[in-house]
Amino acid sequence: MSATTARPRDPRVSVVIPARNEARNLEIILPKLPPVHEVILVDGNSVDDTIATAQRLMPDVRVVHQTRKGKGNALACGFEAVTGDVVVMFDADCSADPDEIPRFVQALVDGADVAKGTRYSHGGGSDDITLLRNLGNRGLNVLCNVILGTRYSDLCYGYNAFWADVLPKIGLLSSTLPRPADGSMLWGDGFEIETVLTCRWSAAELAITEVGSHEKLRVHGTSNLNAVTDGIRVLKSIMHERRRAAEGRARARVATLSGGAALSGGAALSGGTALSGGGALGSVAAVPTSPDVTPVVPATVSALEGDAA
């Protein structure tokens, strides 16, 4: 475990749900959620009854309005509003199984910093992934593992959970940054967010455990994901995050040599946040696992040192 803060055995769970015009799907999925500390609905300027439906079905739902556009920005807005101990990323389109939430939380209680969903391990699967998306996802997954020295089986899957205390180490863009004048998205605001998170979890040397998850079909509406354009954005994300991690290590070395802020066994992120617990990787293998839970060993700082090109 990378954090020195004591973590509860019975954590308060915050479910963050980004949604844009998902009223009909929320009718189905919200009543199926298990009891949790809070449900945060991040509305992406819906023109249907997304907000009204959520408030009718769940009067205590917390509604947050995203500040820019894209799934990445929606999640960042939701993360900033979290008051619980554990964050669960949950899609509104009925593709995520609410019954799996306790399994993700248990992986965290058992010692992981991050519980990463995977459709490619025991207990996992997909009713939705196409042949093209499957091939693209596997190719990007192999590339990411080679570059980062990881062993992920499902890079782009968005059903994940993590301890809220690791958020400062991820360094996502603030929700207060303005939208680009040309209508484009800032880096990390789009569907590449799952890849960005995965890379930064590894760069922060967090203890990551994969949890088997079965992806269901979207019930109503169509996905905004484009297999080609978003696949290219994911590829760019891998290379961008590789450079970001290398630049962060270079700044950390300069700070150490100049007598600046000391690092406690870890590496500084590009935002300057010092990491404690450089031995986090050793704790990954010690995480108790079930057949549906698999530890993933992220790359250490030393393993990536030669990539700082």
Side-chain angles (χ1 to χ4, degrees), residues 51-302:
I51 295 178
T53 298
Q55 292 174 329
R56 172 172 53 82
L57 295 169
M58 189 174 288
D60 59 348
V61 68
R62 295 183 59 198
V63 176
V64 173
H65 298 273
Q66 76 172 99
T67 55
R68 296 186 295 275
K69 68 178 182 178
K71 184 178 182 180
N73 171 245
L75 285 172
C77 292
F79 294 164
E80 290 177 3
V82 163
T83 64
D85 306 301
V86 162
V87 182
V88 176
M89 299 162 53
F90 195 87
D91 286 344
D93 60 4
C94 297
S95 62
D97 185 351
D99 292 337
E100 294 177 354
I101 290 178
R103 199 160 71 214
F104 279 85
V105 174
Q106 189 60 50
L108 298 176
V109 171
D110 286 344
D113 294 315
V114 177
K116 171 139 184 51
T118 175
R119 295 163 290 187
Y120 297 104
S121 72
H122 183 80
S126 177
D127 300 328
D128 180 58
I129 196 166
T130 63
L131 177 61
L132 177 61
R133 284 177 55 205
N134 184 47
L135 291 174
N137 188 49
R138 287 182 178 274
L140 291 168
N141 200 77
V142 169
L143 180 62
C144 180
N145 286 338
V146 169
I147 291 176
L148 299 182
T150 52
R151 294 193 318 208
Y152 295 114
S153 63
D154 201 353
L155 174 69
C156 300
Y157 194 42
Y159 198 173
N160 306 297
F162 54 89
W163 289 99
D165 60 32
V166 307
L167 277 169
K169 301 175 184 178
I170 300 174
L172 295 182
L173 293 178
S174 169
S175 65
T176 61
L177 292 175
R179 300 180 185 181
D182 60 2
S184 62
M185 287 188 288
L186 296 177
W187 190 254
D189 275 358
F191 279 111
E192 72 276 6
I193 184 61
E194 282 93 4
T195 305
V196 169
L197 286 171
T198 299
C199 293
R200 294 188 184 180
W201 289 331
S202 291
E205 299 185 14
L206 299 181
I208 304 169
T209 294
E210 286 194 331
V211 177
S213 175
H214 193 99
E215 179 185 37
K216 299 181 179 181
L217 289 171
R218 165 184 278 274
V219 177
H220 296 292
T222 57
S223 172
N224 293 316
L225 186 145
N226 183 290
V228 177
T229 58
D230 287 306
I232 293 173
R233 198 168 176 90
V234 168
L235 178 59
K236 290 181 178 178
S237 298
I238 296 172
M239 305 311 297
H240 177 275
E241 292 302 314
R242 175 178 179 268
R243 291 192 300 270
R244 181 181 186 274
E247 290 167 359
R249 291 192 301 275
R251 279 193 291 271
R253 287 195 297 270
V254 170
T256 300
L257 292 174
S258 63
L263 299 177
S264 178
L269 297 181
S270 62
T273 304
L275 303 183
S276 62
L281 294 180
S283 68
V284 178
V287 175
T289 62
S290 70
D292 297 334
V293 179
T294 307
V296 174
V297 182
T300 62
V301 173
S302 60

Side-chain angles (χ1 to χ4, degrees), residues 7-37:
R7 289 168 171 170
R9 298 296 300 176
D10 185 20
R12 298 169 302 164
V13 177
S14 299
V15 178
V16 177
I17 308 177
R20 184 173 186 270
N21 299 328
E22 297 284 8
R24 296 174 69 191
N25 286 320
L26 292 176
E27 288 268 9
I28 299 170
I29 204 65
L30 286 184
K32 296 181 179 180
L33 289 176
V36 293
H37 168 65

